[in-house]
Every structure is written in C-alpha cells, then in structure tokens.
Amino acid sequence: MAVQKKFALGRGLDALISNEEVKTSGSSSINEIELDKISVNPNQPRREFDPIALQELADSIAEIGIIQPITLRKLNEDSYQIIAGERRYRASILAGLKTIPAYIRTADDENVMEMALIENIQREDLNSLEIALAYQHLIEQYELTQERLSERIGKKRTTIANYLRLLKLPAPIQVALKNKEIDMGHARALLTLEDPKNQIRIFNETVAQGYSVRKVEEIVKALANGESIKSGGKTISAKGTQLSEEYSMLQNHLCNFFGTKVQLSCTNKGKGKISIPFNSDADLERIMEILDSLKKTE
C-alpha cells in the first residue's frame, strides 16, 4: 500500500518534488539500495550530526528498521548521491545495515542543492546558521533574489532576510550560533548593535552570564537609548552617543552636588537619563536627604 507524504513546498515545486511516493515526476520507484553504493551530497546544508542522537537512531533502526526511506539521485548504474536523509544513512551504517530503502529521483545538478535544502528544512532540525548558509548558497549559485528564493522554497522574504543577516555577525558569534551556545534570538538582538566590538563584548558577557534573549534585548535597547552599561568590568557606550561639552559640564556638576559618580546619557533626539548610584543604605539615605532639602527650598 502506497503511503502518502506531504511537504510544505513553495510555488512551482510540484514538478520538482511530487507528493506521490512511488511514481513521480522526475522519479522512478522505491528500491533497496546497497549502502556502499551511496555517497553524501557535498552541498548538503547539514554539517553537524549529534553523535548521541545518531546512535539512538541507529539503535532504533537496528530494532525496527528504516521507517522513512531516504531520497537519492542516481548518478550511474552503481552509484547514488543523497538528496535527503544523510542522518538516516549514517545511522544505518552504525546499525550494521547493508541496504536501505530509498526513493530514486532523477535531477539535474542545479536542482540537487535546492531539493536537499527544501527536504531538510521541512523534515530535519537544521541550526539557524546552516539555514542561512544554504540560503546564501542558493542565491549566489543560481543568481536568485530574496523574493525569488522566497517563492521557490515557500518561506517569507522577511524570514530569509533575517537568516541572511546572521552572516553579517562577527565570526565568534556565528560559531557560537552553530554550536548552539546562543539562540537565534540572541543573535538577532546583537545584530541591532552597529559596532562589532560591542557585539563581541555583549556576546561574551551573554555566554559568561547565561543571559536570556530578553536580557540581551534589554542591554541592546539601553545602548540604543544612549545609556552606558557595565560589561566585563568595562563601561560600554553606544556608538555615536558621546556627550556634548554642555552635557559633560552638567554631569560633572551633578557628580559634585551629590558626591557620587552620576551617569548621564542623551540620545541625538534629546531623550536622556540620569542615574545616581549609591554604595550602601547610609549612602542612599544621604542622597535622599539632599533631594528632600531641594524640595523644601521650592
């Protein structure tokens, strides 16, 4: 009995990947293929395979076999290349299988990467950087616009743009994203900072302190509002928010008046913030007495 399978595909892809299992456009029948006749796709978007999860899948395959066939492209009579299912292929080798059930598709070289990307995005957990790199590969190799790529893979253009922006982050942040040390939410928050040095500093602090996405968003927002923050024992100021001479004089005046290092920030739009730190309850009481005295003189 044929098993129906459905994919959330983009427009115009029905001729490329059909919903039929056995007889499809550009596809022959399902077959058992010897594992030693199969090679991996060098343009496969997925680069990392969790060894523990892979072994768990291998144990499952050894017990009950392959549930979902992999998808192959026939190169010649004795050679096949993986379009989708490299994880199942690797796990089958670990499980000691000699053959694996597979859908055999005929596809032009220029379509293989596209098919692999679509299949994997729909059915496997690619990390966000792998997706971004795959999108970039498609755009560059096939000279696609983001809008055209959106139509081909059934994703919103804004979604594609957000992934591609990740490739503008400094390399250490991209590596951390790939290794899942931070989430895409952290990375997107860091992207709003213009200065790469600040991106790195906040990133390092995020990893060291285990900041949540919300916390990083708050830090970035504070910098965007012209505030200074402490990070790694250093004060970080937003780029282009240097106080004018007039405001610097006012800040010094407030520091002398309250007897503590008052922080003053101001954006280009004239919005700002005054922060008066205190070192103890007694210091806070002293500052409150100063403010109370000002109120009495009104």
Side-chain angles (χ1 to χ4, degrees):
M1 180 177 69
V3 179
Q4 292 291 319
K5 61 173 184 172
K6 293 185 180 295
F7 295 80
L9 300 176
R11 294 192 297 268
L13 284 171
D14 289 339
L16 183 61
I17 305 178
S18 173
N19 287 333
E20 297 180 22
E21 177 188 283
V22 177
K23 186 175 179 57
T24 64
S25 175
S27 173
S28 57
S29 61
I30 184 172
N31 291 295
E32 284 282 340
I33 304 298
E34 295 176 28
L35 287 169
D36 60 8
K37 293 183 178 180
I38 300 172
S39 62
V40 300
N41 180 359
N43 288 324
Q44 155 72 276
R46 179 179 293 279
R47 299 300 181 200
E48 302 293 332
F49 295 87
D50 183 89
I52 296 176
L54 198 62
Q55 186 60 57
E56 289 176 349
L57 179 58
D59 293 340
S60 174
I61 289 173
E63 182 178 357
I64 63 176
I66 293 286
I67 296 176
Q68 175 66 48
I70 66 173
T71 305
L72 302 176
R73 176 173 72 116
K74 189 172 184 177
L75 300 177
N76 52 53
E77 289 302 318
D78 295 311
S79 181
Y80 302 84
Q81 187 180 76
I82 296 174
I83 292 177
E86 183 175 339
R87 183 168 175 267
R88 279 164 283 161
Y89 162 76
R90 290 173 178 266
S92 296
I93 294 175
L94 286 176
L97 270 61
K98 299 301 181 183
T99 64
I100 190 171
Y103 303 120
I104 312 302
R105 301 187 185 279
T106 56
D108 295 335
D109 287 340
E110 68 180 44
N111 289 331
V112 173
M113 174 61 180
E114 184 172 23
M115 292 172 71
L117 173 64
I118 294 167
E119 291 263 8
N120 279 281
I121 285 178
Q122 302 301 335
R123 294 158 55 185
E124 296 188 38
D125 183 28
L126 290 178
N127 67 54
S128 53
L129 193 68
E130 287 174 326
I131 294 174
L133 288 169
Y135 285 164
Q136 186 66 28
H137 182 98
L138 284 170
I139 286 173
E140 291 178 352
Q141 182 161 339
Y142 307 122
E143 299 181 351
L144 300 175
T145 63
Q146 291 185 18
E147 187 65 34
R148 180 59 180 149
L149 179 59
S150 169
E151 295 173 355
R152 296 293 291 273
I153 65 175
K155 298 288 183 180
K156 293 182 179 178
R157 192 197 64 78
T158 53
T159 298
I160 293 172
N162 284 334
Y163 275 108
L164 291 175
R165 289 179 66 220
L166 298 176
L167 302 180
K168 296 181 179 180
L169 286 166
I173 302 178
Q174 291 191 39
V175 172
L177 190 60
K178 168 177 170 285
N179 294 335
K180 298 183 179 180
E181 295 175 29
I182 59 172
D183 297 330
M184 186 172 177
H186 292 107
R188 290 184 63 180
L190 293 171
L191 276 167
T192 61
L193 294 173
E194 296 181 2
D195 189 350
K197 292 182 180 179
N198 282 352
Q199 290 177 338
I200 291 292
R201 287 173 180 171
I202 302 304
F203 157 71
N204 288 335
E205 191 79 359
T206 296
V207 173
Q209 302 299 326
Y211 288 155
S212 65
V213 173
R214 182 180 293 274
K215 176 64 175 178
V216 176
E217 289 173 342
E218 290 174 353
I219 292 173
V220 170
K221 184 178 180 180
L223 288 172
N225 288 333
E227 302 175 27
S228 297
I229 64 167
K230 292 286 185 179
S231 176
K234 297 182 179 180
T235 299
I236 299 178
S237 299
K239 198 172 183 180
T241 57
Q242 188 73 27
L243 290 177
S244 65
E245 182 178 354
E246 182 180 359
Y247 278 112
S248 294
M249 291 176 62
L250 177 58
Q251 183 180 37
N252 291 332
H253 176 72
L254 290 171
C255 290
N256 293 330
F257 183 80
F258 286 102
T260 188
K261 187 172 179 60
V262 176
Q263 291 187 351
L264 187 151
S265 61
C266 183
T267 68
N268 294 330
K269 297 180 180 180
K271 295 181 179 180
K273 181 179 180 181
I274 296 174
S275 176
I276 307 174
F278 56 89
N279 299 317
S280 62
D281 290 343
D283 196 25
L284 173 60
E285 185 174 349
R286 177 186 66 81
I287 293 171
M288 293 304 298
E289 287 177 353
I290 295 174
L291 293 173
D292 287 341
S293 67
L294 291 175
K295 188 174 182 181
K296 293 176 182 178
T297 59
E298 290 181 355

